[in-house]
Amino acid sequence: MAITDAGVPSFSPHYAIKQLILNNIVSPDPSLWTVAVNNDWFEYKLARTYQIAIYPVYSETNQFSLTGGGDSTSPKISTAYYTVSAIHPDRESAHSLFRNLTTLFNNETLTSPQNINGYAGLAGTDYHWVRITKASVGQMVDLTAPECGPGGSSDDKCEGYRYDITVAIRWNE
């Protein structure tokens, strides 16, 4: 697909990042977990499993060309920042998921695909590229699961590990 750069892309940045992950990441444990990305934040019913969630941080738009009032459109460069969070109850499994996500986001053939005409579109969309801008490693979190509530277990099964990767995704209007 060629990038049109004619207005806001048809698909949301969330959709483009989600499709990139779903179609290209390697599961850290393919026998137990098929890669999935939550539609929203982490899901309670999946608290004791691998999870990936994407959520917006902020966006910015810069006008890159002034036509002096001679055009009906105002060309812009837009960048949105999203955090991709990975969680798992086990530290090493969470780290494996983080490692696979960073490997994916560092693969320029996927994150900034180009052909002889320039950018070819991230995951078949009008987004030019996605890049890692920040990563935080291994924050311990309290998991919410039936075993972890009042009167439940107090062992290490009630803790998990969350890794955050902030990415920038770029498009032109």
Side-chain angles (χ1 to χ4, degrees):
M1 173 180 175
I3 293 177
T4 62
D5 287 337
V8 177
S10 301
F11 299 102
S12 71
H14 181 279
Y15 176 85
I17 296 167
K18 182 176 181 176
Q19 292 309 306
L20 176 71
I21 293 169
L22 289 177
N23 294 326
N24 298 290
I25 194 170
V26 175
S27 173
D29 192 350
S31 64
L32 296 176
W33 184 63
T34 301
V35 174
V37 177
N38 296 1
N39 288 325
D40 297 304
W41 188 232
F42 296 121
E43 296 180 23
Y44 169 78
K45 64 184 177 183
L46 301 175
R48 305 273 328 264
T49 64
Y50 287 102
Q51 289 191 63
I52 298 172
I54 303 167
Y55 53 97
V57 179
Y58 73 97
S59 299
E60 59 188 8
T61 299
N62 297 302
Q63 195 162 321
F64 69 82
S65 176
L66 293 174
T67 64
D71 200 337
S72 62
T73 61
S74 177
K76 299 171 190 68
I77 297 174
S78 296
T79 306
Y81 296 86
Y82 279 75
T83 297
V84 178
S85 291
I87 192 170
H88 191 271
D90 172 80
R91 182 188 309 267
E92 293 306 315
S93 297
H95 183 75
S96 294
L97 182 55
F98 171 75
R99 186 182 64 239
N100 291 3
L101 281 166
T102 55
T103 298
L104 169 64
F105 285 120
N106 285 323
N107 182 341
E108 288 192 7
T109 62
L110 299 171
T111 60
S112 62
Q114 298 183 36
N115 57 30
I116 60 171
N117 298 319
Y119 289 111
L122 173 70
T125 66
D126 280 332
Y127 295 94
H128 292 209
W129 48 259
V130 64
R131 294 272 188 265
I132 293 176
T133 60
K134 178 182 173 188
S136 64
V137 179
Q139 305 165 44
M140 187 176 288
V141 294
D142 291 326
L143 295 177
T144 304
E147 301 90 10
C148 301
S153 172
S154 62
D155 62 14
D156 64 353
K157 293 179 183 176
C158 295
E159 295 175 342
Y161 298 89
R162 179 174 133 198
Y163 289 71
D164 293 328
I165 301 169
T166 302
V167 296
I169 184 168
R170 169 75 52 88
W171 70 96
N172 291 357
E173 297 178 30

